[in-house]
């Protein structure tokens, strides 16, 4: 059994990957500041993995109990804090130490990154520097990094191989490029580093149980969570950003992949890094299939028996017509390819959203008649 540390493991992709790693026998330690994740998400991961009761054992720590000791421990902490990172590493040092880190913690909203660039450089880049320093102190040299297809910018290349030029066009993308560069330098600086840079295309959907899924803060920036919130009545209608792109139906084409396929990709990357000699591995994770906004909308409607209102509006600045992965290297290097269809993505995403209309915060309606009555009467 391998003991792994997940930074940002209580967020969308981290929580699904946490479950996949527990199911393949790993012991998992998570550090997350809950800025875009929650202890509740990991409680549900513990439940899905059959780890027994999930308990808060101190102000900053939660764990799942199971016979033979906990296989999942969560620390509230910030990746920019060496103290917080050491706490997570030291808890694991007792039983043999962390053998690999999966680094999900980071900020990812393009518009926000343009308004608050320093925050993005601080969390995404300084956070990674602090993490690498902590890995040095604790003798860990294996890292899987959450990179992004955003690095390719607005390219016309279809599909996009890993060798395509990197030309990010916003601060969020610059920070991802900077971290890739930093990790390349680190890998070259000393023998023994095993690093995977995983460039995600568009991860969407949810675990098929409907117990865990994406729970964005505020108004979703991305298409799929927005679509889900329109379906649940939380948003009135979808705005389709541009109907005049040079694509089959005029709407933007993207490579959507099921988050459980992505989660399994992380497990494969870890296996490959640990089995092979030290290396720096750079891989696209996508399906290789492009779907337009309207295709996704229609598939969501057909799969779930719903009709969703939408209007076509102006293009969103910074968007490109088509972004589709060439995922052949991931298949060649680690035997990974997506297995789940667009219909499964839509089915599972809706299972999550319909069972959790307010995400993890509460499953209750925001205003119960009784509560409103009490307030008026007081
Ligand atoms: C976006 C970011 C990307 C980031 C990724 C994950 C931009 C330009 N790109 O990718 O850098 O890595 O999210 O956070 O912001 N769409 C609509 N209506 C909506 C939302 C989206 O029509 O309300 C369209 C977009 O124009 C696009 C497609 O849906 O054609 C997918 O958009 P989105 O889910 O935001 O993903 P990306 O733009 O690919």
């Amino acid at each position: 059994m391998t003991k792994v540390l997940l930074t940002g493991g209580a967020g969308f992709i981290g929580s699904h990957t946490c479950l996949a790693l527990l199911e393949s026998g790993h012991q998992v330690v998570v550090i997350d500041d809950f800025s875009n994740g929650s202890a509740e998400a990991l409680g549900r991961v513990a439940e899905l993995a059959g780890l027994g009761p999930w308990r808060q054992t101190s102000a900053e720590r939660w764990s799942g109990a199971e016979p033979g000791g906990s296989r999942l421990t969560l620390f509230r902490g910030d990746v920019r804090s060496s103290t917080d990172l050491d706490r997570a590493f030291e808890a694991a040092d007792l039983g043999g130490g962390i053998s690999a880190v999966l680094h999900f913690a980071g900020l990812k909203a393009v518009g926000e990154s343009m308004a608050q660039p320093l925050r993005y450089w601080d969390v995404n880049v300084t956070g990674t520097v602090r993490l690498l320093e902590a890995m040095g102190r604790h003798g860990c040299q294996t890292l899987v990094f959450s990179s992004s297809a955003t690095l390719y910018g607005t390219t016309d290349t279809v599909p996009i191989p890993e060798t395509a030029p990197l030309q990010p066009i916003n601060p969020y993308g610059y920070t991802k490029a900077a971290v890739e560069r930093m990790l390349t330098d680190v890998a070259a600086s000393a023998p023994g580093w095993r690093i995977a840079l995983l460039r995600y295309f568009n991860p969407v959907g949810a675990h098929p149980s409907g117990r865990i899924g994406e729970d964005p803060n505020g108004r979703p920036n991305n298409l799929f969570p927005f679509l889900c919130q329109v379906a649940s009545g939380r948003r009135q209608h979808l705005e389709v950003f541009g109907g005049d792109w040079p694509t089959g139906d005029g709407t933007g084409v993207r490579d959507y992949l099921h988050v459980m396929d992505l989660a399994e990709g992380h497990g494969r990357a870890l296996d490959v890094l640990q089995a092979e000699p030290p290396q720096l591995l750079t891989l696209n994770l996508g399906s290789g299939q492009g779907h337009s906004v309207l295709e996704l909308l229609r598939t969501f409607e057909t799969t779930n028996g719903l009709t969703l209102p939408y209007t076509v509006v102006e293009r969103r600045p910074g968007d490109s017509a088509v972004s589709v992965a060439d995922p052949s290297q991931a298949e060649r290097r680690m035997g990974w390819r997506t297995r789940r269809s667009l219909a499964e993505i839509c089915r599972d995403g809706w299972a999550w959203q319909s069972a959790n209309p307010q995400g993890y915060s509460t499953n209750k309606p925001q205003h119960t008649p009784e509560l409103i009555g009490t307030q008026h009467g007081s």
Side-chain angles (χ1 to χ4, degrees):
M1 184 200 295
T2 307
K3 200 180 289 184
V4 295
L5 174 68
L6 273 56
T7 71
F12 172 46
I13 298 169
S15 58
H16 288 77
T17 304
C18 183
L19 177 59
L21 294 173
L22 289 167
E23 285 177 340
S24 50
H26 295 283
Q27 185 167 346
V28 181
V29 178
V30 171
I31 178 169
D32 199 298
D33 68 355
F34 303 152
S35 56
N36 199 13
S38 67
E40 171 68 14
L42 283 195
R44 295 188 187 189
V45 166
E47 160 205 307
L48 290 168
L51 298 189
W54 176 246
R55 298 182 314 239
Q56 183 163 7
T57 51
S58 76
E60 306 297 335
R61 181 178 173 144
W62 291 253
S63 61
E66 64 164 7
S70 172
R71 283 206 297 124
L72 174 61
T73 308
L74 163 66
F75 289 92
R76 187 208 305 265
D78 190 321
V79 282
R80 291 166 298 177
S81 160
S82 301
T83 311
D84 290 356
L85 287 166
D86 281 340
R87 185 184 302 133
F89 273 101
E90 279 157 16
D93 279 346
L94 296 174
I98 296 289
S99 62
V101 176
L102 290 90
H103 183 30
F104 299 98
L107 301 174
K108 61 165 189 176
V110 171
E112 187 181 69
S113 79
M114 288 155 73
Q116 304 172 27
L118 286 181
R119 198 169 146 236
Y120 272 68
W121 281 90
D122 190 31
V123 174
N124 292 1
V125 180
T126 310
T128 308
V129 173
R130 292 286 100 80
L131 175 65
L132 288 162
E133 290 168 350
M135 291 174 71
R137 286 193 296 280
H138 297 275
C140 177
Q141 280 190 297
T142 303
L143 178 69
V144 178
F145 173 61
S146 299
S147 192
S148 170
T150 201
L151 289 183
Y152 300 120
T154 51
T155 175
D156 290 333
T157 310
V158 183
I160 306 174
E162 290 84 353
T163 50
L166 303 187
Q167 43 198 16
I169 56 164
N170 53 60
Y172 161 65
Y174 302 142
T175 64
K176 288 287 175 190
V179 173
E180 282 209 0
R181 181 69 247 173
M182 186 201 313
L183 293 174
T184 306
D185 294 345
V186 166
S189 69
W193 281 97
R194 300 160 192 268
I195 297 178
L197 310 176
L198 303 183
R199 296 179 180 160
Y200 311 157
F201 278 68
N202 292 64
V204 287
H207 187 265
S209 64
R211 293 291 290 154
I212 56 172
E214 186 168 11
D215 182 16
N217 288 332
R219 185 185 170 88
N221 297 309
N222 299 117
L223 175 62
F224 193 81
F226 203 97
L227 201 61
C228 289
Q229 292 194 5
V230 173
S232 71
R234 195 166 155 188
R235 310 272 162 202
Q236 283 194 333
H237 69 279
L238 176 72
E239 289 187 340
V240 176
F241 297 148
D244 57 352
W245 293 102
T247 59
D249 64 19
T251 66
V253 169
R254 294 291 181 274
D255 183 332
Y256 298 99
L257 73 159
H258 196 295
V259 64
M260 289 309 299
D261 279 328
L262 183 65
E264 289 164 12
H266 288 76
R268 290 294 306 133
L270 201 54
D271 292 346
V272 167
L273 287 181
Q274 291 181 323
E276 294 183 2
Q279 63 180 315
L280 178 78
L281 193 58
T282 303
L283 296 173
N284 285 339
L285 295 187
S287 70
Q289 304 293 316
H291 294 284
S292 73
V293 175
L294 291 182
E295 274 171 8
L296 179 65
L297 177 79
R298 299 291 180 231
T299 307
F300 196 99
E301 290 181 326
T302 315
T303 306
N304 297 314
L306 296 165
T307 303
L308 304 182
Y310 71 91
T311 53
V312 179
V313 300
E314 290 294 295
R315 293 180 180 185
R316 180 171 64 179
D319 268 349
S320 56
V322 181
S323 169
V324 175
D326 173 351
S328 55
Q329 286 303 316
E331 174 142 34
R332 195 177 68 79
R333 292 293 292 109
M334 56 184 203
W336 175 91
R337 62 190 303 178
T338 59
R339 295 189 291 129
R340 297 159 176 92
S341 66
L342 195 66
E344 285 170 279
I345 285 171
C346 292
R347 181 198 67 193
D348 296 342
W350 178 233
W352 153 253
Q353 183 70 40
S354 54
N356 305 271
Q358 304 298 328
Y360 292 111
S361 54
T362 171
N363 290 324
K364 300 179 197 117
Q366 280 183 322
H367 302 289
T368 63
E370 296 76 16
L371 188 59
I372 291 168
T374 308
Q375 283 171 336
H376 285 177
S378 61

